Amino acid sequence: GDSVTQMEGPVTLSEEAFLTINCTYTATGYPSLFWYVQYPGEGLQLLLKATKADDKGSNKGFEATYRKETTSFHLEKGSVQVSDSAVYFCALSDRLWGAQKLVFGQGTRLTINP
Amino acid sequence: GAVVSQHPSRVICKSGTSVKIECRSLDFQATTMFWYRQFPKQSLMLMATSNEGSKATYEQGVEKDKFLINHASLTLSTLTVTSAHPEDSSFYICSASPPGQGSINEQFFGPGTRLTVL
């Protein structure tokens, strides 16, 4: 079945460091790819998405490019802030399912120290 | 906009009792709601999909008689864990999806409910 594998955490960085959280997927169809973020005490929020190969999703300084050849959707940010501390989930939604179901990676906890 | 609430945020119950968790879409109508379960340091696992006014569709391995889902209105879905046991202790998360967003229906997530069964 479809699956998402993301970089194990926790990840701890200093403020203004460069961030990469790796995400790879396996899918039988043509998935859309997502990054969700969960801040402490809050629900998951959509951070960015890409719906087809070579699309780049971006939001709040975060970027991820849909790489079909490497089945990857790595999350990057050039200069992280303390406020970016959260748990990040990579996910896919396969159009074979009617684009309704999300399959999540295990989540990566990110802590940014001042 | 697009706020989803869950109640309660935490619940502790005795083994053998039933617990009801509510999921509400506060500022939009949700034709579809989803229930997930999250184990510590693990991913969210979809339990079931519910559409307003119809029976829920359960994922393989999820006991429909144990996890009763009701989606009686466009803003409310409930998950009832019946005859709860300690192994049902987990973090339960709901999400809601409004209609009319084309092929990629964004899901808006609630903050989750921590269930502990003693």
Side-chain angles (χ1 to χ4, degrees):
Chain A
D2 293 4
S3 66
V4 176
T5 302
Q6 63 182 98
M7 177 175 168
E8 280 199 33
V11 173
T12 302
L13 296 172
S14 297
E15 204 166 20
E16 299 183 2
F18 184 86
L19 168 71
T20 300
I21 301 178
N22 290 337
C23 171
T24 58
Y25 68 90
T26 58
T28 52
Y30 302 94
S32 295
L33 303 173
F34 306 83
W35 276 100
Y36 283 84
V37 58
Q38 185 176 30
Y39 298 104
E42 299 183 18
L44 274 73
Q45 302 173 26
L46 179 63
L47 180 61
L48 54 84
K49 66 182 180 184
T51 59
K52 61 183 186 295
D54 299 325
D55 270 3
K56 177 186 284 188
S58 61
N59 185 25
K60 299 182 180 179
F62 290 90
E63 293 183 340
T65 301
Y66 189 140
R67 301 286 187 198
K68 189 176 179 181
E69 64 275 14
T70 54
T71 62
S72 65
F73 193 55
H74 305 322
L75 182 68
E76 296 182 337
K77 185 173 185 180
S79 176
V80 293
Q81 306 299 315
V82 172
S83 57
D84 294 326
S85 298
V87 181
Y88 292 81
F89 292 90
C90 186
L92 69 80
S93 176
D94 198 317
R95 292 174 193 170
L96 289 179
W97 306 329
Q100 286 278 359
K101 296 184 182 180
L102 289 170
V103 174
F104 287 90
Q106 69 270 37
T108 302
R109 182 174 298 278
L110 173 66
T111 301
I112 307 299
N113 294 320
Chain B
V3 178
V4 176
S5 70
Q6 278 184 245
H7 178 79
S9 58
R10 292 177 180 269
V11 57
I12 301 173
C13 69
K14 293 182 179 180
S15 186
T17 61
S18 294
V19 174
K20 180 184 285 188
I21 302 170
E22 293 185 349
C23 176
R24 293 182 185 272
S25 56
L26 299 185
D27 50 6
F28 66 99
Q29 293 185 328
T31 50
T32 306
M33 287 185 168
F34 304 84
W35 287 96
Y36 296 85
R37 184 172 179 178
Q38 185 179 25
F39 294 98
K41 299 184 180 180
Q42 293 189 31
S43 177
L44 281 74
M45 302 298 295
L46 180 65
M47 299 174 65
T49 302
S50 72
N51 292 295
E52 187 266 337
S54 62
K55 290 184 178 180
T57 302
Y58 290 81
E59 294 301 298
Q60 191 172 7
V62 178
E63 299 176 58
K64 60 181 67 178
D65 294 331
K66 180 165 190 63
F67 298 100
L68 301 179
I69 291 171
N70 185 287
H71 191 166
S73 78
L74 286 171
T75 59
L76 173 65
S77 176
T78 60
L79 167 67
T80 301
V81 183
T82 62
S83 186
H85 289 95
E87 58 265 30
D88 299 324
S89 298
S90 193
F91 195 56
Y92 293 89
I93 301 172
C94 75
S95 71
S97 185
Q101 291 199 16
S103 62
I104 307 300
N105 291 3
E106 182 173 348
Q107 295 182 28
F108 299 95
F109 287 81
T113 296
R114 172 76 60 194
L115 170 63
T116 302
V117 184
L118 302 177

